[in-house]
Amino acid sequence: MTDEQSTPRPEDDAARLGLVVVGEAAALHSGDEAALDASEQNIRDTVDELVDEPLTQRQEEVLERLAAAGGTLTAGLSGALAAQTGRSVDDVLEGAARSVVWQQRLANERDGADAGPARDREDAGGQQRDHRDEQGRDQA
C-alpha cells in the first residue's frame, strides 16, 4: 500500500487471503508440524490485520477455520491435479500462487487505466511492481 492509499483495496486483501490459503495447502502437503503451526499463525495474523474493528472470539474462529478449510480444499485439489497431470504438488501450488498474484496485477492495471497514467503500485506482499513506460509496457 502506498502513502496515497490509506485503505487497502479489496483486491489486495483478497490476494493476500488467497496466498494464505495456498500457504496452508503447502503446509498440509509438507506434513511438517512446524510448517502447519506457522501457517495457522499466519492465518490468525492475517485475519487480525485485515479487520477494521476487533472481531468477537467466535467471528475470529470462524474466519480462521474458513481459511484453514480453504487450504484443505486447495491441498486436496492440487494433489488430485498433480496426480492427473503428472506434475508435482509444489508445481501446482506455485501455479495457484502465481494465479492469485496475476489476478491482483490485472486489477491494478485495470484501476491504473481508469485512473490515467500508470504509477507504482504494491502487491499483497508489499512489493513494488515494475515501472511502466508511456505505452503501459513493463520496464526493467
Side-chain angles (χ1 to χ4, degrees), residues 105-122:
R105 175 180 249 182
L106 290 175
N108 284 343
E109 289 174 358
R110 182 187 63 236
D111 288 351
D114 293 343
R119 58 191 162 119
D120 288 348
R121 299 198 196 308
E122 291 181 336

Side-chain angles (χ1 to χ4, degrees), residues 61-106:
E61 287 175 12
V62 167
L63 284 176
E64 289 171 9
R65 290 176 196 252
L66 184 58
T72 300
L73 287 170
T74 302
L77 292 171
S78 63
L81 183 58
Q84 185 75 16
T85 61
R87 303 202 85 131
S88 74
V89 173
D90 290 339
D91 286 345
V92 173
L93 289 172
E94 182 180 330
R98 267 189 269 139
S99 293
V100 169
V101 172
W102 182 250
Q103 285 298 315
Q104 181 191 27
R105 175 180 249 182
L106 290 175

Side-chain angles (χ1 to χ4, degrees), residues 11-28:
E11 294 88 348
D12 296 334
D13 290 344
R16 186 167 175 203
L17 286 170
L19 293 173
V20 165
V21 167
V22 172
E24 176 74 358
L28 286 167

Side-chain angles (χ1 to χ4, degrees), residues 46 48 50 67 102-103 125 127:
T46 300
D48 286 344
L50 292 179
W102 182 250
Q103 285 298 315
Q127 301 297 313

